[in-house]
DNA sequence: ACCTGAACACCGTTCAAGT
DNA sequence: ACCTGAACACCGTTCAAGT
């Protein structure tokens, strides 16, 4: 969203929201190191000290951005889940998961960076857990005999695959052929970890 | 500012090595944000400008630290591989992999941070690829019909599991019970992804 | 109540100058 | 050749003061 109008009316109380939005843009554009408090204040057209009325420090601001990211993320995988038959759900969610990571690489990395102290911020914790739960439920259905292990294994798989793709760690695999690879691998995962060949 | 320990004999040419060692210590102690050029210079007992005779900038220094980390890492998983029978190798390496990540969380995160521009530094690339190859070979043996997919899947699994453990993303799993979980999961992975039940 | 201006204690990096 | 001292352009954060 481009603000062509100088609608600097942050004296109402929406500075907080404006800060989170601008921070998200900043992050998406230039990564975690472009996300500075002073630069943020500049973007929003406010003094360098103003953000500190709404966030204790930089970490608190980053936590709010990450929480917003998890909300987006949950939306994406829940959308994939809803658009498909029950026994296709895990595969669809896994694909949506990796696609989200590939579409918003810097946001995804921020969301899973331990630098942000996930356990300390309650809102962030809740948002992250909701996303985890959503995938875990679908994964557990694939292996009713060991639902806990199935959930962790599935989560590790999609998370690990995403990180490797983002870091260009995978030889010869770029964004171009990533999608087909993801489908192959999630199918493989579902096939092997799924319930014994019945359906 | 007075140096009580006059062991400052870096006029020989080992300043570079001393910087990497000190940087590794700094990272292990305080994480990536404790790793500053000025603090590093202080530790080594040298002026703030001196490190720039040996590293173009902070990123180059960090790349050298990461490369050193990959050397340690390769040693750890190769050690695990060597100490076990052929059909146990993948499991042992996977365990060693996760254990390394848990033992050196901040180093591990740095090694897999995309912030460090893995592809740009040739030494770092080589060190990282050597570690990947080592695990990939063992994983490929588990599924000779699809060695490439097996390697990626295995790598994603151990990497994803490591990151989740480090970020305390896994509900109720801490360093205490992590080891047993890792063994259960790597066994599960080997069982499901391994060759058809023969041995 | 919310924001500004100025200040403090830091950074990474550069460069002339020392030895 | 290798290092220092001082400087530059930044940070995150605090706080008295403005409205």
């Amino acid at each position: 969203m481009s603000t062509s109008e100088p609608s600097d009316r942050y004296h109402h109380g929406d500075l907080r929201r404006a800060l989170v939005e601008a921070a998200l843009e900043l992050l998406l554009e230039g990564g975690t190191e472009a996300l500075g408090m002073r630069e943020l204040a500049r973007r929003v057209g406010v003094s360098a000290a103003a953000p500190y009325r709404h966030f204790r420090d930089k970490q608190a601001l980053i936590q709010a951005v990450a929480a917003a990211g998890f909300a987006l993320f949950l939306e994406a995988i829940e959308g994939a889940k809803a658009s498909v038959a029950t026994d296709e759900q895990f595969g669809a969610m896994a694909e949506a998961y990796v696609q989200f990571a590939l579409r918003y690489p810097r946001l995804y990395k921020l969301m899973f960076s331990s630098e942000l102290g996930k356990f300390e911020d309650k809102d962030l914790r809740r948002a992250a857990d909701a996303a985890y739960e959503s995938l875990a439920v679908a994964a557990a259905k694939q292996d009713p005999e060991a639902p806990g292990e199935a959930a962790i294994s599935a989560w590790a798989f999609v998370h690990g695959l995403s990180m490797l793709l983002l870091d260009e760690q995978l030889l010869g695999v770029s964004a171009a052929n990533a999608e087909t690879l993801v489908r192959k691998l999630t199918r493989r995962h579902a096939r092997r970890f799924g319930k014994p060949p019945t359906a």
Side-chain angles (χ1 to χ4, degrees), chain A:
Chain A
M1 307 230 177
S2 52
T3 38
S4 45
E5 303 263 354
S7 55
D8 332 53
R9 286 274 67 81
Y10 299 126
H11 322 290
H12 314 349
D14 52 356
L15 213 205
R16 194 196 154 93
R17 170 164 292 129
L19 284 169
V20 175
E21 273 173 31
L24 204 55
E25 279 175 32
L26 227 37
L27 175 69
L28 261 29
E29 286 168 20
T32 192
E33 68 217 59
L35 182 47
M37 292 301 265
R38 290 186 107 110
E39 178 61 25
L40 183 58
R42 252 175 250 125
R43 280 261 181 144
V44 159
V46 98
S47 83
Y52 289 86
R53 268 327 107 172
H54 299 271
F55 297 99
R56 203 188 312 100
D57 52 18
K58 191 183 179 182
Q59 188 178 232
L61 184 271
I62 285 178
Q63 285 168 339
V65 173
F70 273 108
L72 268 174
F73 180 63
L74 180 61
E75 217 179 306
I77 61 175
E78 284 287 333
K81 182 188 194 175
S83 71
V84 112
T86 310
D87 53 329
E88 297 273 333
Q89 283 182 351
F90 173 71
M93 291 173 86
E95 273 184 53
Y97 186 116
V98 180
Q99 269 162 22
F100 180 92
L102 288 174
R103 174 138 35 212
Y104 306 109
R106 319 204 219 222
L107 175 58
Y108 183 82
K109 296 211 93 184
L110 182 80
M111 286 159 55
F112 288 93
S113 157
S114 58
E115 252 69 70
L116 90 196
K118 216 162 301 187
F119 35 89
E120 287 166 19
D121 188 279
K122 276 205 127 190
D123 288 344
L124 178 52
R125 234 315 173 210
R126 219 178 0 239
D129 286 349
Y132 176 80
E133 269 299 302
S134 177
L135 189 74
V137 166
K141 275 184 194 150
Q142 292 235 129
D143 188 356
E145 287 171 26
E149 291 181 17
I152 293 177
S153 175
W155 185 264
F157 172 69
V158 290
H159 181 58
L161 182 58
S162 299
M163 293 299 259
L164 289 174
L165 286 169
L166 293 188
D167 288 350
E168 300 178 45
Q169 191 70 28
L170 261 28
L171 350 144
V173 177
S174 59
N177 44 358
E179 272 199 35
T180 57
L181 175 72
V182 169
R183 289 182 58 152
K184 248 200 273 189
L185 285 174
T186 53
R187 291 231 178 95
R188 173 192 162 89
H189 191 92
R191 207 184 319 129
R192 302 264 183 150
F193 281 95
K195 22 186 137 161
T198 310

